[in-house]
Amino acid sequence: MLKQQKMTFVRDLNRLRFGDRRSVVTIGSFDGVHLGHQAILKQVSAKAEQLGGRAVAMTFEPQPQEYFSAQTAPPRLMRSREKIEALLDFGMDLVVCLRFNNRLRNLTADQFINDVLVGGLGTQHLIVGDDFRFGCDRSGDFEMLVAMGKQLDFSVQDTQTVEVQNQRVSSTSVRQLLQQADFERVGQLLGRPFAITGKVTYGQQLGRKLGFPTANVNLNRCRAPLSGVYAVWVDIEGIETRYKGAANVGVRPTIGDMVKPILEVHLLDFSNCIYGRRINVEFVHKIRDEQQFTTLKNLSENIQRDVEKIRDWFAESNLSLKQ
């Protein structure tokens, strides 16, 4: 069941006015909040408890790669709200999600350290990778942080690589495995099943006309990390029961705009209205790639076949678990 969570985060650079030198900080994109990220967050939380300070994760919206080149930036594994909730779930007292804009990109490395880390967050201890770069033209690096930390009285610690079965855990690895629909391996790197969470919005109502009503979630991004038709488990806000579903992720080439990806989920054996509620869609098996059909009749017939295949897959999976 989805839970309600108070959001504890800061968006505006001007609101960073802590300055009491009690923050243990880490900085990154944290896309997916995978096991590597989780290891860092544990370090931050433990150090904050040791120093009697606050545990802080800093990230950016949009991601710097998206700001400079939205079309070539890698697809996100999770949306901003999902990421903030995950960072809080893994022990952060505060998530600083700064707007990456012209003002922020033009900060020099010295300004970033003095105005953001020290003057803004009151950083007492910083944990980042030794390949971390910052400031305009990416002029700041790990060595600079260590040197400035000695001058400004904050300590710096690098992160350790996390491996699962001799594979380095990274957001890139997770994306590659999602493309292969290897959800078991994805779950191992994430430390949990891959899922997309979002609010159900009104669509074209075409699914209902075709006999397969769908719960639609706008992904609000240029690209999705996976595409096609999938068997899924669905959790609905306010409802204890989990439901099986048939999900399509993509640009809907038969009826869509061919640009913005959307998540559509047909819940099996469920007919209640859930517009406005948040759902969590957990991906477990891929049925096929997204296709374009010449007529709505062909689309309806293929949806019927997809739903039958998904019912069969769930039945076979349940049988194998009992054996």
Side-chain angles (χ1 to χ4, degrees), residues 18-284:
F18 305 144
D20 57 0
R21 311 307 306 280
R22 296 186 62 248
S23 296
V24 178
V25 181
T26 186
I27 306 171
S29 66
F30 302 109
D31 191 22
V33 193
H34 53 59
L35 288 182
H37 297 140
Q38 292 169 37
I40 297 170
L41 299 175
K42 286 179 183 178
Q43 288 179 296
V44 172
S45 184
K47 190 68 173 181
E49 184 174 356
Q50 176 189 337
L51 298 176
R54 65 176 70 82
V56 181
M58 175 183 284
T59 188
F60 306 96
E61 184 65 35
Q63 295 298 316
Q65 286 176 291
E66 296 170 338
Y67 178 85
F68 290 109
S69 181
Q71 296 304 319
T72 59
R76 292 194 189 196
L77 297 173
M78 53 175 33
R79 297 189 296 175
S80 181
R81 174 167 177 162
E82 294 173 86
K83 178 165 63 177
I84 292 168
E85 288 179 339
L87 291 171
L88 294 171
D89 281 343
F90 284 107
M92 295 301 96
D93 299 311
L94 177 71
V95 177
V96 176
C97 183
L98 293 182
R99 293 183 181 89
F100 196 90
N101 52 24
N102 198 51
R103 179 190 175 195
L104 188 60
R105 68 164 289 195
N106 285 325
L107 287 181
T108 66
D110 280 346
Q111 288 173 324
F112 184 82
I113 293 172
N114 283 284
D115 297 346
V116 178
L117 293 182
V118 178
L121 288 175
T123 301
Q124 186 173 0
H125 187 74
L126 177 66
I127 302 178
V128 291
D130 58 13
D131 59 349
F132 178 65
R133 304 301 293 261
F134 61 98
C136 60
D137 301 324
R138 294 167 55 85
S139 57
D141 57 16
F142 188 84
E143 288 70 26
M144 180 182 185
L145 285 169
V146 173
M148 292 288 286
K150 292 176 180 177
Q151 296 178 28
L152 299 172
D153 195 28
F154 66 86
S155 51
V156 184
Q157 174 184 345
D158 66 345
T159 60
Q160 301 295 316
T161 297
V162 174
E163 293 187 351
V164 173
Q165 297 177 7
N166 298 318
Q167 181 179 12
R168 179 177 177 271
V169 179
S170 69
S171 301
T172 299
S173 298
V174 174
R175 291 187 193 97
Q176 292 171 345
L177 291 168
L178 284 175
Q179 291 297 312
Q180 301 165 18
D182 189 345
F183 294 113
E184 180 177 356
R185 187 67 173 157
V186 166
Q188 292 172 353
L189 299 194
L190 291 177
R192 64 191 184 284
F194 175 77
I196 294 176
T197 301
K199 183 177 291 188
V200 178
T201 61
Y202 284 95
Q204 297 174 301
Q205 306 291 304
L206 183 60
R208 188 173 301 278
K209 295 175 184 176
L210 295 175
F212 299 94
T214 59
N216 296 347
V217 176
N218 292 319
L219 300 182
N220 298 324
R221 59 185 97 167
C222 293
R223 299 159 62 200
L226 74 177
S227 176
V229 178
Y230 301 87
V232 297
W233 284 105
V234 183
D235 294 291
I236 305 170
E237 184 179 36
I239 298 178
E240 293 285 350
T241 305
R242 301 190 89 197
Y243 290 92
K244 300 168 186 173
N248 181 82
V249 182
V251 295
R252 302 185 296 174
T254 305
I255 54 142
D257 61 12
M258 298 289 288
V259 177
K260 296 179 182 178
I262 190 170
L263 166 62
E264 302 173 291
V265 187
H266 172 66
L267 284 76
L268 307 186
D269 307 315
F270 182 87
S271 59
N272 293 349
C273 177
I274 55 173
Y275 289 117
R277 294 196 191 185
R278 296 183 74 215
I279 60 173
N280 184 75
V281 182
E282 179 185 317
F283 293 77
V284 291

